[in-house]
PDB file of all heavy atoms in Angstrom:
ATOM      1  N   SER A 160      11.483  -1.508  -9.444  1.00 86.00           N
ATOM      2  CA  SER A 160      11.729  -1.107 -10.735  1.00 86.00           C
ATOM      3  C   SER A 160      13.195  -0.856 -10.983  1.00 86.00           C
ATOM      4  O   SER A 160      13.999  -0.854 -10.039  1.00 86.00           O
ATOM      5  CB  SER A 160      10.906   0.200 -11.069  1.00 86.00           C
ATOM      6  OG  SER A 160      11.391   1.232 -10.292  1.00 86.00           O
ATOM      7  N   GLY A 161      13.595  -0.779 -12.228  1.00 86.00           N
ATOM      8  CA  GLY A 161      14.978  -0.579 -12.461  1.00 86.00           C
ATOM      9  C   GLY A 161      15.675  -1.870 -12.806  1.00 86.00           C
ATOM     10  O   GLY A 161      14.999  -2.793 -13.395  1.00 86.00           O
ATOM     11  N   SER A 162      16.922  -2.123 -12.360  1.00 83.00           N
ATOM     12  CA  SER A 162      17.613  -3.307 -12.671  1.00 83.00           C
ATOM     13  C   SER A 162      17.244  -4.341 -11.666  1.00 83.00           C
ATOM     14  O   SER A 162      17.828  -4.498 -10.601  1.00 83.00           O
ATOM     15  CB  SER A 162      19.157  -2.970 -12.557  1.00 83.00           C
ATOM     16  OG  SER A 162      19.857  -4.099 -12.739  1.00 83.00           O
ATOM     17  N   ILE A 163      16.247  -5.121 -12.011  1.00 82.00           N
ATOM     18  CA  ILE A 163      15.714  -6.024 -11.031  1.00 82.00           C
ATOM     19  C   ILE A 163      16.222  -7.492 -11.189  1.00 82.00           C
ATOM     20  O   ILE A 163      15.796  -8.382 -10.525  1.00 82.00           O
ATOM     21  CB  ILE A 163      14.142  -6.084 -11.112  1.00 82.00           C
ATOM     22  CG1 ILE A 163      13.726  -6.561 -12.483  1.00 82.00           C
ATOM     23  CG2 ILE A 163      13.565  -4.712 -10.729  1.00 82.00           C
ATOM     24  CD1 ILE A 163      12.113  -6.762 -12.491  1.00 82.00           C
ATOM     25  N   PHE A 164      17.214  -7.688 -12.085  1.00 83.00           N
ATOM     26  CA  PHE A 164      17.772  -8.967 -12.219  1.00 83.00           C
ATOM     27  C   PHE A 164      18.289  -9.534 -10.909  1.00 83.00           C
ATOM     28  O   PHE A 164      19.101  -8.756 -10.242  1.00 83.00           O
ATOM     29  CB  PHE A 164      18.922  -8.993 -13.250  1.00 83.00           C
ATOM     30  CG  PHE A 164      19.491 -10.347 -13.477  1.00 83.00           C
ATOM     31  CD1 PHE A 164      18.839 -11.257 -14.255  1.00 83.00           C
ATOM     32  CD2 PHE A 164      20.753 -10.713 -12.919  1.00 83.00           C
ATOM     33  CE1 PHE A 164      19.422 -12.530 -14.508  1.00 83.00           C
ATOM     34  CE2 PHE A 164      21.267 -11.923 -13.084  1.00 83.00           C
ATOM     35  CZ  PHE A 164      20.591 -12.902 -13.845  1.00 83.00           C
ATOM     36  N   GLY A 165      18.034 -10.664 -10.513  1.00 85.00           N
ATOM     37  CA  GLY A 165      18.427 -11.250  -9.247  1.00 85.00           C
ATOM     38  C   GLY A 165      17.854 -10.618  -7.993  1.00 85.00           C
ATOM     39  O   GLY A 165      18.293 -10.849  -6.866  1.00 85.00           O
ATOM     40  N   LEU A 166      16.822  -9.811  -8.105  1.00 84.00           N
ATOM     41  CA  LEU A 166      16.179  -9.089  -6.997  1.00 84.00           C
ATOM     42  C   LEU A 166      15.150 -10.011  -6.303  1.00 84.00           C
ATOM     43  O   LEU A 166      14.309 -10.688  -7.054  1.00 84.00           O
ATOM     44  CB  LEU A 166      15.589  -7.849  -7.454  1.00 84.00           C
ATOM     45  CG  LEU A 166      14.968  -6.960  -6.408  1.00 84.00           C
ATOM     46  CD1 LEU A 166      16.085  -6.338  -5.517  1.00 84.00           C
ATOM     47  CD2 LEU A 166      14.036  -5.885  -7.061  1.00 84.00           C
ATOM     48  N   ASP A 167      15.127 -10.040  -5.136  1.00 84.00           N
ATOM     49  CA  ASP A 167      14.188 -10.802  -4.351  1.00 84.00           C
ATOM     50  C   ASP A 167      13.531  -9.867  -3.308  1.00 84.00           C
ATOM     51  O   ASP A 167      14.111  -9.572  -2.292  1.00 84.00           O
ATOM     52  CB  ASP A 167      14.778 -11.886  -3.654  1.00 84.00           C
ATOM     53  CG  ASP A 167      13.753 -12.859  -2.850  1.00 84.00           C
ATOM     54  OD1 ASP A 167      12.616 -12.649  -3.023  1.00 84.00           O
ATOM     55  OD2 ASP A 167      14.250 -13.608  -1.965  1.00 84.00           O
ATOM     56  N   VAL A 168      12.285  -9.408  -3.651  1.00 84.00           N
ATOM     57  CA  VAL A 168      11.516  -8.588  -2.664  1.00 84.00           C
ATOM     58  C   VAL A 168      10.926  -9.460  -1.625  1.00 84.00           C
ATOM     59  O   VAL A 168      10.200 -10.360  -1.989  1.00 84.00           O
ATOM     60  CB  VAL A 168      10.527  -7.656  -3.323  1.00 84.00           C
ATOM     61  CG1 VAL A 168       9.785  -6.829  -2.325  1.00 84.00           C
ATOM     62  CG2 VAL A 168      11.116  -6.827  -4.446  1.00 84.00           C
ATOM     63  N   ARG A 169      11.155  -9.160  -0.413  1.00 86.00           N
ATOM     64  CA  ARG A 169      10.922 -10.206   0.672  1.00 86.00           C
ATOM     65  C   ARG A 169       9.793  -9.840   1.544  1.00 86.00           C
ATOM     66  O   ARG A 169       9.092 -10.697   2.130  1.00 86.00           O
ATOM     67  CB  ARG A 169      12.190 -10.570   1.362  1.00 86.00           C
ATOM     68  CG  ARG A 169      13.213 -11.216   0.594  1.00 86.00           C
ATOM     69  CD  ARG A 169      14.332 -11.766   1.387  1.00 86.00           C
ATOM     70  NE  ARG A 169      15.220 -12.568   0.667  1.00 86.00           N
ATOM     71  CZ  ARG A 169      16.422 -13.089   1.156  1.00 86.00           C
ATOM     72  NH1 ARG A 169      16.746 -12.853   2.368  1.00 86.00           N
ATOM     73  NH2 ARG A 169      17.128 -13.823   0.327  1.00 86.00           N
ATOM     74  N   GLY A 170       9.756  -8.578   2.038  1.00 91.00           N
ATOM     75  CA  GLY A 170       8.779  -8.312   3.069  1.00 91.00           C
ATOM     76  C   GLY A 170       8.804  -6.909   3.598  1.00 91.00           C
ATOM     77  O   GLY A 170       9.204  -5.982   2.894  1.00 91.00           O
ATOM     78  N   TRP A 171       8.447  -6.747   4.828  1.00 97.00           N
ATOM     79  CA  TRP A 171       8.145  -5.514   5.430  1.00 97.00           C
ATOM     80  C   TRP A 171       8.805  -5.416   6.845  1.00 97.00           C
ATOM     81  O   TRP A 171       8.886  -6.313   7.596  1.00 97.00           O
ATOM     82  CB  TRP A 171       6.712  -5.258   5.580  1.00 97.00           C
ATOM     83  CG  TRP A 171       6.053  -5.276   4.284  1.00 97.00           C
ATOM     84  CD1 TRP A 171       5.499  -6.305   3.576  1.00 97.00           C
ATOM     85  CD2 TRP A 171       5.761  -4.159   3.407  1.00 97.00           C
ATOM     86  NE1 TRP A 171       4.967  -5.849   2.342  1.00 97.00           N
ATOM     87  CE2 TRP A 171       5.092  -4.490   2.271  1.00 97.00           C
ATOM     88  CE3 TRP A 171       6.029  -2.784   3.586  1.00 97.00           C
ATOM     89  CZ2 TRP A 171       4.741  -3.668   1.339  1.00 97.00           C
ATOM     90  CZ3 TRP A 171       5.599  -1.841   2.542  1.00 97.00           C
ATOM     91  CH2 TRP A 171       4.960  -2.294   1.478  1.00 97.00           C
ATOM     92  N   TYR A 172       9.391  -4.150   7.132  1.00 97.00           N
ATOM     93  CA  TYR A 172       9.796  -3.705   8.299  1.00 97.00           C
ATOM     94  C   TYR A 172       9.048  -2.392   8.668  1.00 97.00           C
ATOM     95  O   TYR A 172       8.498  -1.792   7.797  1.00 97.00           O
ATOM     96  CB  TYR A 172      11.325  -3.532   8.387  1.00 97.00           C
ATOM     97  CG  TYR A 172      12.023  -4.809   8.312  1.00 97.00           C
ATOM     98  CD1 TYR A 172      12.072  -5.560   7.160  1.00 97.00           C
ATOM     99  CD2 TYR A 172      12.863  -5.096   9.405  1.00 97.00           C
ATOM    100  CE1 TYR A 172      12.844  -6.800   7.160  1.00 97.00           C
ATOM    101  CE2 TYR A 172      13.599  -6.334   9.387  1.00 97.00           C
ATOM    102  CZ  TYR A 172      13.614  -7.242   8.276  1.00 97.00           C
ATOM    103  OH  TYR A 172      14.262  -8.320   8.239  1.00 97.00           O
ATOM    104  N   ARG A 173       9.225  -1.938   9.931  1.00 98.00           N
ATOM    105  CA  ARG A 173       8.598  -0.712  10.250  1.00 98.00           C
ATOM    106  C   ARG A 173       9.487   0.072  11.337  1.00 98.00           C
ATOM    107  O   ARG A 173      10.274  -0.666  12.074  1.00 98.00           O
ATOM    108  CB  ARG A 173       7.179  -0.865  10.793  1.00 98.00           C
ATOM    109  CG  ARG A 173       7.026  -1.579  12.155  1.00 98.00           C
ATOM    110  CD  ARG A 173       5.643  -1.834  12.502  1.00 98.00           C
ATOM    111  NE  ARG A 173       5.388  -2.511  13.716  1.00 98.00           N
ATOM    112  CZ  ARG A 173       4.206  -2.930  14.225  1.00 98.00           C
ATOM    113  NH1 ARG A 173       3.193  -2.789  13.477  1.00 98.00           N
ATOM    114  NH2 ARG A 173       4.186  -3.546  15.408  1.00 98.00           N
ATOM    115  N   GLN A 174       9.368   1.332  11.372  1.00 97.00           N
ATOM    116  CA  GLN A 174      10.077   2.108  12.414  1.00 97.00           C
ATOM    117  C   GLN A 174       9.141   3.216  12.949  1.00 97.00           C
ATOM    118  O   GLN A 174       8.655   4.039  12.205  1.00 97.00           O
ATOM    119  CB  GLN A 174      11.288   2.839  11.766  1.00 97.00           C
ATOM    120  CG  GLN A 174      12.202   3.443  12.747  1.00 97.00           C
ATOM    121  CD  GLN A 174      13.561   3.806  12.144  1.00 97.00           C
ATOM    122  OE1 GLN A 174      13.724   3.810  10.905  1.00 97.00           O
ATOM    123  NE2 GLN A 174      14.460   4.119  13.022  1.00 97.00           N
ATOM    124  N   ALA A 175       8.847   3.020  14.241  1.00 96.00           N
ATOM    125  CA  ALA A 175       8.034   4.025  14.929  1.00 96.00           C
ATOM    126  C   ALA A 175       8.896   5.105  15.422  1.00 96.00           C
ATOM    127  O   ALA A 175      10.135   4.993  15.539  1.00 96.00           O
ATOM    128  CB  ALA A 175       7.336   3.316  16.109  1.00 96.00           C
ATOM    129  N   PRO A 176       8.319   6.320  15.698  1.00 92.00           N
ATOM    130  CA  PRO A 176       9.117   7.455  16.100  1.00 92.00           C
ATOM    131  C   PRO A 176       9.910   7.117  17.322  1.00 92.00           C
ATOM    132  O   PRO A 176       9.391   6.605  18.339  1.00 92.00           O
ATOM    133  CB  PRO A 176       7.992   8.539  16.375  1.00 92.00           C
ATOM    134  CG  PRO A 176       6.823   8.154  15.537  1.00 92.00           C
ATOM    135  CD  PRO A 176       6.874   6.589  15.421  1.00 92.00           C
ATOM    136  N   GLY A 177      11.164   7.397  17.355  1.00 94.00           N
ATOM    137  CA  GLY A 177      12.018   7.241  18.493  1.00 94.00           C
ATOM    138  C   GLY A 177      12.433   5.767  18.675  1.00 94.00           C
ATOM    139  O   GLY A 177      13.032   5.476  19.778  1.00 94.00           O
ATOM    140  N   LYS A 178      12.007   4.872  17.753  1.00 96.00           N
ATOM    141  CA  LYS A 178      12.410   3.450  17.963  1.00 96.00           C
ATOM    142  C   LYS A 178      13.171   2.911  16.818  1.00 96.00           C
ATOM    143  O   LYS A 178      13.254   3.496  15.782  1.00 96.00           O
ATOM    144  CB  LYS A 178      11.034   2.703  18.135  1.00 96.00           C
ATOM    145  CG  LYS A 178      10.299   2.949  19.359  1.00 96.00           C
ATOM    146  CD  LYS A 178       9.182   2.005  19.569  1.00 96.00           C
ATOM    147  CE  LYS A 178       8.394   2.289  20.800  1.00 96.00           C
ATOM    148  NZ  LYS A 178       7.225   1.308  21.062  1.00 96.00           N
ATOM    149  N   GLN A 179      13.800   1.825  17.033  1.00 97.00           N
ATOM    150  CA  GLN A 179      14.542   1.197  15.952  1.00 97.00           C
ATOM    151  C   GLN A 179      13.608   0.498  14.954  1.00 97.00           C
ATOM    152  O   GLN A 179      12.492   0.096  15.268  1.00 97.00           O
ATOM    153  CB  GLN A 179      15.506   0.142  16.599  1.00 97.00           C
ATOM    154  CG  GLN A 179      16.728   0.736  17.404  1.00 97.00           C
ATOM    155  CD  GLN A 179      17.724  -0.368  17.758  1.00 97.00           C
ATOM    156  OE1 GLN A 179      17.418  -1.474  17.948  1.00 97.00           O
ATOM    157  NE2 GLN A 179      18.967   0.189  17.851  1.00 97.00           N
ATOM    158  N   ARG A 180      14.173   0.217  13.772  1.00 96.00           N
ATOM    159  CA  ARG A 180      13.430  -0.487  12.793  1.00 96.00           C
ATOM    160  C   ARG A 180      13.283  -1.881  13.185  1.00 96.00           C
ATOM    161  O   ARG A 180      14.193  -2.504  13.731  1.00 96.00           O
ATOM    162  CB  ARG A 180      14.117  -0.412  11.457  1.00 96.00           C
ATOM    163  CG  ARG A 180      13.375  -0.899  10.209  1.00 96.00           C
ATOM    164  CD  ARG A 180      14.036  -0.569   8.961  1.00 96.00           C
ATOM    165  NE  ARG A 180      14.301   0.822   8.725  1.00 96.00           N
ATOM    166  CZ  ARG A 180      14.756   1.364   7.567  1.00 96.00           C
ATOM    167  NH1 ARG A 180      15.119   0.547   6.564  1.00 96.00           N
ATOM    168  NH2 ARG A 180      14.935   2.617   7.564  1.00 96.00           N
ATOM    169  N   GLU A 181      12.015  -2.411  12.963  1.00 97.00           N
ATOM    170  CA  GLU A 181      11.725  -3.773  13.459  1.00 97.00           C
ATOM    171  C   GLU A 181      11.050  -4.531  12.364  1.00 97.00           C
ATOM    172  O   GLU A 181      10.399  -4.029  11.447  1.00 97.00           O
ATOM    173  CB  GLU A 181      10.797  -3.790  14.707  1.00 97.00           C
ATOM    174  CG  GLU A 181       9.433  -3.184  14.485  1.00 97.00           C
ATOM    175  CD  GLU A 181       8.533  -3.383  15.646  1.00 97.00           C
ATOM    176  OE1 GLU A 181       9.048  -3.683  16.730  1.00 97.00           O
ATOM    177  OE2 GLU A 181       7.269  -2.932  15.596  1.00 97.00           O
ATOM    178  N   PHE A 182      11.282  -5.841  12.428  1.00 97.00           N
ATOM    179  CA  PHE A 182      10.724  -6.816  11.501  1.00 97.00           C
ATOM    180  C   PHE A 182       9.211  -6.899  11.568  1.00 97.00           C
ATOM    181  O   PHE A 182       8.651  -6.871  12.731  1.00 97.00           O
ATOM    182  CB  PHE A 182      11.331  -8.155  11.708  1.00 97.00           C
ATOM    183  CG  PHE A 182      10.581  -9.197  10.969  1.00 97.00           C
ATOM    184  CD1 PHE A 182      10.801  -9.527   9.619  1.00 97.00           C
ATOM    185  CD2 PHE A 182       9.820 -10.147  11.679  1.00 97.00           C
ATOM    186  CE1 PHE A 182      10.145 -10.510   8.973  1.00 97.00           C
ATOM    187  CE2 PHE A 182       9.177 -11.203  11.061  1.00 97.00           C
ATOM    188  CZ  PHE A 182       9.318 -11.352   9.700  1.00 97.00           C
ATOM    189  N   VAL A 183       8.503  -6.937  10.476  1.00 98.00           N
ATOM    190  CA  VAL A 183       7.034  -7.085  10.463  1.00 98.00           C
ATOM    191  C   VAL A 183       6.652  -8.455   9.820  1.00 98.00           C
ATOM    192  O   VAL A 183       5.903  -9.309  10.514  1.00 98.00           O
ATOM    193  CB  VAL A 183       6.332  -5.964   9.721  1.00 98.00           C
ATOM    194  CG1 VAL A 183       4.789  -6.234   9.607  1.00 98.00           C
ATOM    195  CG2 VAL A 183       6.589  -4.652  10.399  1.00 98.00           C
ATOM    196  N   ALA A 184       6.954  -8.683   8.600  1.00 97.00           N
ATOM    197  CA  ALA A 184       6.588  -9.886   7.902  1.00 97.00           C
ATOM    198  C   ALA A 184       7.566 -10.166   6.708  1.00 97.00           C
ATOM    199  O   ALA A 184       8.049  -9.194   6.131  1.00 97.00           O
ATOM    200  CB  ALA A 184       5.141  -9.798   7.466  1.00 97.00           C
ATOM    201  N   VAL A 185       7.623 -11.424   6.366  1.00 95.00           N
ATOM    202  CA  VAL A 185       8.481 -11.760   5.199  1.00 95.00           C
ATOM    203  C   VAL A 185       7.833 -12.965   4.447  1.00 95.00           C
ATOM    204  O   VAL A 185       7.040 -13.720   5.071  1.00 95.00           O
ATOM    205  CB  VAL A 185       9.925 -12.147   5.711  1.00 95.00           C
ATOM    206  CG1 VAL A 185       9.907 -13.429   6.497  1.00 95.00           C
ATOM    207  CG2 VAL A 185      10.734 -12.279   4.418  1.00 95.00           C
ATOM    208  N   ILE A 186       7.970 -13.050   3.186  1.00 93.00           N
ATOM    209  CA  ILE A 186       7.482 -14.075   2.419  1.00 93.00           C
ATOM    210  C   ILE A 186       8.616 -14.539   1.403  1.00 93.00           C
ATOM    211  O   ILE A 186       9.403 -13.743   0.867  1.00 93.00           O
ATOM    212  CB  ILE A 186       6.254 -13.690   1.554  1.00 93.00           C
ATOM    213  CG1 ILE A 186       5.729 -14.800   0.705  1.00 93.00           C
ATOM    214  CG2 ILE A 186       6.531 -12.470   0.659  1.00 93.00           C
ATOM    215  CD1 ILE A 186       4.370 -14.524   0.147  1.00 93.00           C
ATOM    216  N   ASP A 187       8.813 -15.932   1.411  1.00 88.00           N
ATOM    217  CA  ASP A 187       9.923 -16.408   0.572  1.00 88.00           C
ATOM    218  C   ASP A 187       9.424 -16.791  -0.745  1.00 88.00           C
ATOM    219  O   ASP A 187       8.176 -16.751  -1.075  1.00 88.00           O
ATOM    220  CB  ASP A 187      10.648 -17.513   1.366  1.00 88.00           C
ATOM    221  CG  ASP A 187       9.890 -18.803   1.378  1.00 88.00           C
ATOM    222  OD1 ASP A 187       8.864 -19.010   0.698  1.00 88.00           O
ATOM    223  OD2 ASP A 187      10.316 -19.691   2.093  1.00 88.00           O
ATOM    224  N   SER A 188      10.262 -17.276  -1.586  1.00 84.00           N
ATOM    225  CA  SER A 188       9.950 -17.619  -2.933  1.00 84.00           C
ATOM    226  C   SER A 188       8.966 -18.801  -3.057  1.00 84.00           C
ATOM    227  O   SER A 188       8.154 -18.854  -4.133  1.00 84.00           O
ATOM    228  CB  SER A 188      11.168 -17.972  -3.812  1.00 84.00           C
ATOM    229  OG  SER A 188      11.862 -19.105  -3.170  1.00 84.00           O
ATOM    230  N   SER A 189       8.806 -19.556  -2.020  1.00 87.00           N
ATOM    231  CA  SER A 189       7.843 -20.583  -2.053  1.00 87.00           C
ATOM    232  C   SER A 189       6.428 -20.203  -1.583  1.00 87.00           C
ATOM    233  O   SER A 189       5.520 -20.993  -1.611  1.00 87.00           O
ATOM    234  CB  SER A 189       8.301 -21.810  -1.220  1.00 87.00           C
ATOM    235  OG  SER A 189       8.280 -21.519   0.182  1.00 87.00           O
ATOM    236  N   GLY A 190       6.381 -18.984  -1.027  1.00 89.00           N
ATOM    237  CA  GLY A 190       5.180 -18.555  -0.454  1.00 89.00           C
ATOM    238  C   GLY A 190       5.101 -18.698   0.995  1.00 89.00           C
ATOM    239  O   GLY A 190       4.149 -18.169   1.629  1.00 89.00           O
ATOM    240  N   ALA A 191       6.140 -19.212   1.672  1.00 93.00           N
ATOM    241  CA  ALA A 191       6.052 -19.354   3.064  1.00 93.00           C
ATOM    242  C   ALA A 191       6.252 -18.063   3.744  1.00 93.00           C
ATOM    243  O   ALA A 191       6.979 -17.156   3.320  1.00 93.00           O
ATOM    244  CB  ALA A 191       7.204 -20.324   3.594  1.00 93.00           C
ATOM    245  N   THR A 192       5.510 -17.816   4.832  1.00 95.00           N
ATOM    246  CA  THR A 192       5.531 -16.536   5.549  1.00 95.00           C
ATOM    247  C   THR A 192       5.911 -16.641   7.002  1.00 95.00           C
ATOM    248  O   THR A 192       5.774 -17.664   7.640  1.00 95.00           O
ATOM    249  CB  THR A 192       4.164 -15.906   5.455  1.00 95.00           C
ATOM    250  OG1 THR A 192       3.214 -16.739   6.031  1.00 95.00           O
ATOM    251  CG2 THR A 192       3.748 -15.556   4.033  1.00 95.00           C
ATOM    252  N   ILE A 193       6.536 -15.582   7.505  1.00 96.00           N
ATOM    253  CA  ILE A 193       6.842 -15.458   8.896  1.00 96.00           C
ATOM    254  C   ILE A 193       6.408 -14.076   9.283  1.00 96.00           C
ATOM    255  O   ILE A 193       6.540 -13.063   8.534  1.00 96.00           O
ATOM    256  CB  ILE A 193       8.384 -15.532   9.108  1.00 96.00           C
ATOM    257  CG1 ILE A 193       8.775 -16.955   8.687  1.00 96.00           C
ATOM    258  CG2 ILE A 193       8.652 -15.363  10.684  1.00 96.00           C
ATOM    259  CD1 ILE A 193      10.316 -17.119   8.776  1.00 96.00           C
ATOM    260  N   TYR A 194       5.828 -13.975  10.508  1.00 98.00           N
ATOM    261  CA  TYR A 194       5.329 -12.721  10.970  1.00 98.00           C
ATOM    262  C   TYR A 194       5.926 -12.341  12.440  1.00 98.00           C
ATOM    263  O   TYR A 194       6.092 -13.324  13.136  1.00 98.00           O
ATOM    264  CB  TYR A 194       3.790 -12.741  11.106  1.00 98.00           C
ATOM    265  CG  TYR A 194       3.063 -12.915   9.824  1.00 98.00           C
ATOM    266  CD1 TYR A 194       2.720 -14.169   9.344  1.00 98.00           C
ATOM    267  CD2 TYR A 194       2.720 -11.778   9.092  1.00 98.00           C
ATOM    268  CE1 TYR A 194       2.102 -14.345   8.114  1.00 98.00           C
ATOM    269  CE2 TYR A 194       2.072 -11.881   7.866  1.00 98.00           C
ATOM    270  CZ  TYR A 194       1.800 -13.169   7.432  1.00 98.00           C
ATOM    271  OH  TYR A 194       1.088 -13.298   6.191  1.00 98.00           O
ATOM    272  N   ALA A 195       5.980 -11.135  12.663  1.00 98.00           N
ATOM    273  CA  ALA A 195       6.258 -10.761  14.047  1.00 98.00           C
ATOM    274  C   ALA A 195       5.098 -11.013  14.975  1.00 98.00           C
ATOM    275  O   ALA A 195       3.978 -10.996  14.519  1.00 98.00           O
ATOM    276  CB  ALA A 195       6.569  -9.205  14.135  1.00 98.00           C
ATOM    277  N   ASP A 196       5.411 -11.492  16.175  1.00 98.00           N
ATOM    278  CA  ASP A 196       4.288 -11.794  17.034  1.00 98.00           C
ATOM    279  C   ASP A 196       3.321 -10.696  17.251  1.00 98.00           C
ATOM    280  O   ASP A 196       2.103 -10.973  17.377  1.00 98.00           O
ATOM    281  CB  ASP A 196       4.862 -12.125  18.470  1.00 98.00           C
ATOM    282  CG  ASP A 196       5.572 -13.453  18.453  1.00 98.00           C
ATOM    283  OD1 ASP A 196       5.405 -14.251  17.510  1.00 98.00           O
ATOM    284  OD2 ASP A 196       6.368 -13.683  19.387  1.00 98.00           O
ATOM    285  N   SER A 197       3.720  -9.472  17.189  1.00 97.00           N
ATOM    286  CA  SER A 197       2.851  -8.325  17.396  1.00 97.00           C
ATOM    287  C   SER A 197       1.834  -8.108  16.291  1.00 97.00           C
ATOM    288  O   SER A 197       0.760  -7.433  16.469  1.00 97.00           O
ATOM    289  CB  SER A 197       3.697  -7.016  17.551  1.00 97.00           C
ATOM    290  OG  SER A 197       4.439  -6.798  16.397  1.00 97.00           O
ATOM    291  N   VAL A 198       2.028  -8.714  15.166  1.00 98.00           N
ATOM    292  CA  VAL A 198       1.082  -8.495  14.036  1.00 98.00           C
ATOM    293  C   VAL A 198       0.450  -9.833  13.563  1.00 98.00           C
ATOM    294  O   VAL A 198      -0.424  -9.889  12.691  1.00 98.00           O
ATOM    295  CB  VAL A 198       1.867  -7.939  12.792  1.00 98.00           C
ATOM    296  CG1 VAL A 198       2.461  -6.637  13.226  1.00 98.00           C
ATOM    297  CG2 VAL A 198       2.739  -8.935  12.088  1.00 98.00           C
ATOM    298  N   LYS A 199       0.804 -10.979  14.191  1.00 98.00           N
ATOM    299  CA  LYS A 199       0.340 -12.263  13.810  1.00 98.00           C
ATOM    300  C   LYS A 199      -1.100 -12.311  13.945  1.00 98.00           C
ATOM    301  O   LYS A 199      -1.771 -11.863  14.930  1.00 98.00           O
ATOM    302  CB  LYS A 199       1.067 -13.320  14.694  1.00 98.00           C
ATOM    303  CG  LYS A 199       1.096 -14.724  13.938  1.00 98.00           C
ATOM    304  CD  LYS A 199       1.973 -15.607  14.824  1.00 98.00           C
ATOM    305  CE  LYS A 199       3.450 -15.265  14.770  1.00 98.00           C
ATOM    306  NZ  LYS A 199       4.377 -16.183  15.462  1.00 98.00           N
TER     307      LYS A 199
END
C-alpha cells in the first residue's frame, strides 16, 4: 500500500532465531517461480 508506482512485490524470505535471513521463494512478472531447495 502507499506509493506503489513502479513497485514489484516479488516473494518471500525468512529468518529463524539466531540465523541469517534466507531466500524462500520468488515469482516474477511472467509468473515464473523459483524456490529454495528446502521448501520445493
Side-chain angles (χ1 to χ4, degrees):
S160 61
S162 179
I163 63 173
F164 180 78
L166 183 71
D167 181 17
V168 181
R169 294 186 171 179
W171 298 89
Y172 287 68
R173 67 186 181 186
Q174 188 166 15
K178 295 188 177 181
Q179 290 189 332
R180 191 170 299 186
E181 65 176 4
F182 167 76
V183 175
V185 66
I186 182 168
D187 71 13
S188 56
S189 71
T192 56
I193 300 174
Y194 296 93
D196 287 344
S197 58
V198 307
K199 205 171 291 184

